[in-house]
């Protein structure tokens, strides 16, 4: 039985339908599952955190390749299936909760090599990733399926329309890369948009030195909140005098007519450290 038939068979057996509100689009291509596990570099000594295991298609492959899989699932219908399906695996642990409410720090504290691998529920992609990063969890990498458009924003380069405040945050904490393009036909039910798998390698140290992290992120946010504004005007609207802004940009050799989308993370850091 192929994965598409198996998915439909399990749903029918339990009298279930994919719950759209919970972002349930099940991956039905076994080759893509193999590729995710391979490119996530899952090793025998790794503990994998899987967010939203659903019916367990990716989970099954992770269990074969990792030391342990800790899966976090919100839907009790899915949890029931997972508990039955993996009852004989002693390296499977299920946390039946909302991933945004669990204390991940506590869950992973005893493990050395922890990686996140998941096909994420799309309605909360960014909150999940920001939680993983801002909590400064001791993770090695995050390999996740996301909407194509979101993946492109995370991995964008300056001077493009995809480049934004989220790009800067992602690059501050990780080295991001789109590793697999996944057309929408590889899911059941078929979603409206295409997807991609991204890999975020967690940085040991940030790419820039900051005097004040919070101020840096406030500056980035202010810069991108009105993308059409020049950096000159964005800074002025943050309560800096025209004189201050002029002096700093001159000192740093940054053209005041540039917009946030033209500035690199290094330039944002310089401005934040000097203003
Ligand atoms: N991993 C499965 C696969 O690839 O076929 C299912 C992926 S599906 C895109 C997303 C999964 O996340 C669903 O099983 C859904 O129930 C679960 N989910 C949705 N919101 C969640 C939350 N807040 N916390 C944990 N799991 C959640």
């Amino acid at each position: 039985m192929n994965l598409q038939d198996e998915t439909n068979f399990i749903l029918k057996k339990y009298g279930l339908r994919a719950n759209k509100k919970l972002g349930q689009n099940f991956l039905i291509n076994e080759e893509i599952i193999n590729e995710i596990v391979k490119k996530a570099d899952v090793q025998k000594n790794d503990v994998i955190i899987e967010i939203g295991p659903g019916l367990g298609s990716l989970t099954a492959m992770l269990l074969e390749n990792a030391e342990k899989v800790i899966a976090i699932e919100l839907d009790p219908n899915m949890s029931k299936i997972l508990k039955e399906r993996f009852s004989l695996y002693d390296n499977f642990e299920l946390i039946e909760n909302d991933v945004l409410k669990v204390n991940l720090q506590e869950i992973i504290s005893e493990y050395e090599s922890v990686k996140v691998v998941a096909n994420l529920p799309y309605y909360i992609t960014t909150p999940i990733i920001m939680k993983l990063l801002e909590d400064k969890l001791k993770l090695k990498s995050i390999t996740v399926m996301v909407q194509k458009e979101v993946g492109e924003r995370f991995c964008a380069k300056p001077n493009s329309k995809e480049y934004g405040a989220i790009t800067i945050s992602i690059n501050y904490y990780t080295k991001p890369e789109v590793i697999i393009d996944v057309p929408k036909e590889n899911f059941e039910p078929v979603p409206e948009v295409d997807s991609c798998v991204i890999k975020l390698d967690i940085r040991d140290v940030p790419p820039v030195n900051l005097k004040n992290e919070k101020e840096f992120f406030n500056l980035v946010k202010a810069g991108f909140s009105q993308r059409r504004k020049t950096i000159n005007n964005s800074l002025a609207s943050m309560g800096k005098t025209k004189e201050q802004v002029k002096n700093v940009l001159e000192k740093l050799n940054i053209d005041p007519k540039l917009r946030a989308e033209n500035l690199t993370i290094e330039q944002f850091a310089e401005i934040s450290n000097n203003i």
Side-chain angles (χ1 to χ4, degrees):
M1 205 189 292
N2 67 30
L3 197 49
Q4 178 163 24
D5 292 342
E6 195 180 316
T7 301
N8 287 323
F9 175 81
I10 299 176
L11 288 173
K12 200 165 166 207
K13 178 176 161 198
Y14 287 87
L16 296 173
R17 278 171 186 225
N19 184 333
K20 275 198 175 171
K21 275 196 189 138
L22 290 178
Q24 288 177 359
N25 294 97
F26 303 106
L27 198 43
I28 51 164
N29 183 330
E30 200 144 359
E31 273 175 36
I32 293 176
I33 292 180
N34 287 335
E35 214 178 329
I36 294 173
V37 175
K38 197 166 146 212
K39 293 211 167 149
D41 190 29
V42 175
Q43 301 287 333
K44 273 285 169 220
N45 62 337
D46 285 336
V47 171
I48 305 296
I49 302 289
E50 187 190 6
I51 298 159
L55 300 171
S57 312
L58 174 59
T59 322
M61 187 61 67
L62 291 169
L63 283 166
E64 296 302 330
N65 288 278
E67 181 182 327
K68 182 177 175 130
V69 176
I70 303 175
I72 306 167
E73 176 56 62
L74 178 61
D75 184 352
N77 289 325
M78 296 294 125
S79 296
K80 182 172 180 272
I81 296 171
L82 291 162
K83 279 190 271 189
E84 281 182 28
R85 180 167 181 185
F86 300 122
S87 62
L88 298 177
Y89 284 78
D90 58 6
N91 61 341
F92 176 68
E93 183 181 331
L94 180 64
I95 297 175
E96 298 174 64
N97 203 342
D98 178 344
V99 64
L100 297 177
K101 293 192 182 144
V102 300
N103 185 341
L104 288 167
Q105 197 94 49
E106 205 174 279
I107 293 167
I108 67 168
S109 63
E110 61 184 287
Y111 305 110
E112 266 307 304
S113 181
V114 185
K115 294 171 182 164
V116 172
V117 182
N119 173 13
L120 291 178
Y122 291 174
Y123 72 104
I124 43 168
T125 300
T126 304
I128 293 174
I129 295 197
M130 291 324 290
K131 176 182 160 100
L132 297 173
L133 298 177
E134 287 174 350
D135 285 0
K136 303 205 166 140
L137 302 174
K138 226 180 70 201
L139 300 172
K140 287 206 159 155
S141 61
I142 300 171
T143 305
V144 282
M145 180 85 72
V146 297
Q147 268 182 44
K148 189 170 176 359
E149 187 201 323
V150 173
E152 284 169 352
R153 255 188 276 144
F154 285 2
C155 303
K157 299 283 176 238
N159 305 312
S160 66
K161 69 175 189 330
E162 291 80 17
Y163 187 66
I166 192 75
T167 319
I168 304 260
S169 293
I170 295 286
N171 277 275
Y172 180 72
Y173 296 110
T174 78
K175 288 185 200 162
E177 194 191 347
V178 174
I179 54 169
I180 315 172
D181 280 318
V182 186
K184 58 186 173 193
E185 295 73 29
N186 292 289
F187 299 90
E188 176 73 43
V190 179
E192 278 167 22
V193 292
D194 290 328
S195 296
C196 68
V197 179
I198 54 169
K199 182 161 187 243
L200 310 175
D201 279 320
I202 309 294
R203 294 179 187 273
D204 293 332
V205 283
V208 287
N209 282 322
L210 298 177
K211 283 188 186 157
N212 185 322
E213 217 172 70
K214 197 163 167 243
E215 277 182 16
F216 167 78
F217 284 115
N218 283 343
L219 170 76
V220 171
K221 231 197 229 158
F224 283 102
S225 67
Q226 288 171 292
R227 294 180 72 99
R228 303 298 309 155
K229 264 193 181 175
T230 59
I231 189 64
N232 206 19
N233 288 336
S234 310
L235 289 171
S237 65
M238 283 181 77
K240 309 291 171 194
T241 66
K242 281 202 166 145
E243 198 57 21
Q244 276 176 316
V245 175
K246 185 168 165 276
N247 287 344
V248 170
L249 294 180
E250 247 174 37
K251 179 180 157 196
L252 300 173
N253 211 3
I254 293 174
D255 180 352
K257 293 275 176 313
L258 292 179
R259 300 192 167 97
E261 68 192 41
N262 310 120
L263 299 177
T264 61
I265 189 167
E266 289 79 13
Q267 287 173 314
F268 270 114
E270 282 182 330
I271 299 174
S272 162
N273 286 344
N274 282 281
I275 205 143

